[in-house]
Amino acid sequence: MPRSSERSAAPLPSARARRRYFIVLGILGVLAAGFTFGLLAYGNPMPVGTDGFWRIAELRVTSVIVMLIVAVCQAVATVSFQTVSNNRIITPSIMGFESLYTAVHTASVYFLGAAGVVALTGRANFILTIAIMVGLAMALYGWLLTGRYGNLQIMLLVGIIIGGGLGAVSTFMQRLLTPSEFDVLTARLFGSVSNAEPETIPIAIALCLAASTLLWARARRLNVMSLGEETARSLGVDHRRELLTVLFLVAVLMATSTALVGPMTFLGFLVATLAYQFADSFDHRLILPMAVLTAYVILSGAYFLMKHVFYAQGVVSIIIEFVGGITFLIVILRKGRL
C-alpha cells in the first residue's frame, strides 16, 4: 500500500505515471511524424529536399491534411460523447450520421441517376450536407432532452431506430438501382480520403478547429460531467445546458468528418478505447491529445501500409472498420454489458 504522503488525486498521480504518459505520447508523435514523411516522400522520384521533391510532396499534402481533420473530428467527438453519455461503448455514430449520409447519397443517385453523385459535390452541397446532419441531430437532442421525461438513454434508443430506418430505406433504393449506378454509389459510401474535395477542405478545417477548440476549452467541465448528472449538478454545473452544448459540438465534428470522407463507424470507438488505455487518466486535457495522436497514427499508418506495402489503398477503411468491430466485440464481451 502506498504511504499517505504518496497518494494524490492529480490526473497523473505519480512520477511513474507522468513518465509513462509522456513516453507513450512521444512514441505516438514519432510514429505520426514518420508516417507523414512516408506518405509525402515514399515513391517520390526526386531527391529529398529538392524543388522537384517538394512539388510532388505538395500534391500529397491534401491527403495528409484530410487524415488530420478526420483524426481530430473522430477522436474529440467520440471521447466527448462517451463522457457526457457516461458510457465508453457507444459512439456518436449511434445517432445515425452515417445512415443519414448513406440515405442522402442513395436518394440522389436513385432520383437523379449517376449524375446525383456529381450534384452532391462542391462547397454549397458540402455545407448543406453538414447543416442537414447537425440540424436533424439538434432537433433530436432538443426534443428528447428538454422534455419533462427526457433522458439520454431514450435519445440513444431513438437514434438507433432512426439509423436503422434510414438504412432500410437506403437498402430498398439501392436494390432498384442499375448495376452501373450502384457501382458509382458504392464508391462514395465507403469512407475514404479520396472522397474529400479540395475546395471543401478549408471549410472542414474551420469547423474542425472551432468545434474541437471549444471542446478542449471545456475539458474541466467534461471532467465534472464524467462523474454523472447528480454529482455535476451538486458541483454547480448546469448539466442539461452543458449536455446540449457538448452534443452540438460533437454533431458538428461528426457531420464534418462524415461529409468530408464518408462513414467510418468504428474508427472513433477504436481510437477512444486505445486513448483511455494509453493516457490512463481521467483528465480530458490529457485524454484528448492522446486520442487525436492515436487516430492520426492509425489512419496515416493504415494508408501508408496498404498503399505502399500491400498496394490495396481502397480497402483501408474496410480494414479499420474490421479491426474496430473486433475491438468493440472484445470490449463488450469483457464488460458483459453496454
Side-chain angles (χ1 to χ4, degrees):
M1 295 292 292
R3 298 189 300 270
S4 59
S5 60
E6 296 177 347
R7 295 176 182 173
S8 173
L12 298 173
S14 66
R16 180 180 180 181
R18 289 190 292 272
R19 185 166 56 251
R20 176 185 179 277
Y21 176 85
F22 287 110
I23 288 175
V24 173
L25 197 68
I27 292 173
L28 289 175
V30 171
L31 289 174
F35 285 130
T36 300
F37 181 78
L39 289 170
L40 296 178
Y42 191 88
N44 192 325
M46 305 301 293
V48 177
T50 63
D51 290 339
F53 172 86
W54 290 115
R55 288 195 185 96
I56 295 175
E58 286 177 2
L59 300 176
R60 304 179 178 183
V61 167
T62 300
S63 297
V64 174
I65 293 175
V66 171
M67 292 179 200
L68 185 58
I69 294 172
V70 174
V72 173
C73 288
Q74 292 279 344
V76 176
T78 302
V79 171
S80 301
F81 186 82
Q82 291 183 346
T83 295
V84 297
S85 63
N86 285 300
N87 193 312
R88 291 191 178 181
I89 298 296
I90 59 177
T91 68
S93 301
I94 203 172
M95 298 309 303
F97 287 103
E98 283 83 1
S99 298
L100 180 60
Y101 175 90
T102 300
V104 169
H105 281 75
T106 302
S108 298
V109 176
Y110 179 78
F111 291 109
L112 301 177
V117 173
V118 179
L120 287 176
T121 59
R123 293 181 179 180
N125 289 290
F126 179 74
I127 295 174
L128 179 62
T129 301
I130 293 177
I132 292 174
M133 290 183 181
V134 175
L136 290 178
M138 292 313 300
L140 182 64
Y141 299 157
W143 171 46
L144 294 174
L145 292 178
T146 59
R148 181 179 178 184
Y149 302 105
N151 62 72
L152 192 63
Q153 287 70 33
I154 293 177
M155 183 195 74
L156 296 175
L157 180 60
V158 172
I160 294 173
I161 295 172
I162 292 176
L166 290 174
V169 172
S170 299
T171 301
F172 173 76
M173 289 189 289
Q174 290 170 12
R175 292 292 183 91
L176 301 178
L177 297 177
T178 64
S180 59
E181 291 173 340
F182 183 78
D183 288 342
V184 172
L185 174 64
T186 302
R188 295 290 298 182
L189 296 185
F190 280 110
S192 174
V193 171
S194 61
N195 288 340
E197 302 165 21
E199 62 267 27
T200 65
I201 292 177
I203 301 173
I205 292 175
L207 292 173
C208 176
L209 285 177
S212 58
T213 300
L214 289 173
L215 284 171
W216 168 260
R218 311 181 88 83
R220 293 182 184 274
R221 295 187 183 184
L222 288 173
N223 294 341
V224 178
M225 293 286 286
S226 66
L227 300 175
E229 181 177 353
E230 296 299 327
T231 304
R233 286 179 176 175
S234 67
L235 293 175
V237 174
D238 187 338
H239 185 271
R240 178 162 294 180
R241 176 182 175 184
E242 193 67 23
L243 178 61
L244 288 172
T245 301
V246 172
L247 289 178
F248 170 73
L249 296 175
V250 167
V252 171
L253 290 174
M254 289 302 298
T256 300
S257 173
T258 305
L260 185 66
V261 301
M264 288 194 172
T265 306
F266 286 108
L267 175 62
F269 173 81
L270 177 62
V271 166
T273 301
L274 293 175
Y276 293 134
Q277 299 297 319
F278 292 159
D280 194 22
S281 173
F282 64 85
D283 194 342
H284 286 75
R285 292 173 298 176
L286 301 176
I287 298 173
L288 291 176
M290 188 71 75
V292 170
L293 265 180
T294 302
Y296 180 74
V297 168
I298 290 174
L299 274 177
S300 60
Y303 269 87
F304 177 81
L305 292 174
M306 299 308 294
K307 181 178 181 179
H308 297 297
V309 178
F310 299 105
Y311 305 102
Q313 182 180 357
V315 302
V316 170
S317 61
I318 300 175
I319 298 300
I320 292 176
E321 298 299 289
F322 177 73
V323 175
I326 291 177
T327 305
F328 180 83
L329 291 176
I330 292 174
V331 172
I332 285 286
L333 292 174
R334 289 185 62 185
K335 291 173 68 69
R337 60 182 176 85
L338 288 175

